[in-house]
């Protein structure tokens, strides 16, 4: 089990959270996505390590940005 944490900017509501969860959840191997709207923290759990670039691309697809 691997866990990674990212900070996502631009989320303002529950719909934003759902969009981010849905897009990251499409990545092969992802088992859980926990998004905290207030802090912008996104915790991604997976069976094996997931490339950060895949998560960044998924967040971008949802219309938001991973803070650098």
């Amino acid at each position: 089990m691997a866990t990674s944490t990212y900070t996502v900017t631009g989320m303002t509501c529950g719909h934003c959270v759902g969009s981010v969860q849905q897009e990251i959840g499409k990545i092969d191997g992802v088992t859980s996505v926990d998004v905290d709207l207030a802090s912008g923290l996104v915790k991604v759990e997976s069976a094996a390590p997931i490339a950060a670039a895949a998560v960044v691309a998924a967040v971008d697809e949802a219309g938001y940005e991973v803070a650098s």
Side-chain angles (χ1 to χ4, degrees), residues 5-65:
T5 304
Y6 302 88
T7 301
V8 175
T9 60
M11 296 185 298
T12 59
C13 65
H15 180 266
C16 301
V17 169
S19 294
V20 169
Q21 285 176 322
Q22 182 178 14
E23 289 300 326
I24 294 174
K26 292 179 183 177
I27 299 170
D28 285 342
V30 170
T31 57
S32 171
V33 181
D34 182 40
V35 180
D36 182 66
L37 178 60
S39 66
L41 291 179
V42 177
K43 183 170 82 170
V44 180
E45 294 183 355
S46 54
I50 301 291
V55 175
V56 170
V59 170
D60 184 61
E61 181 67 27
Y64 307 97
E65 284 186 28

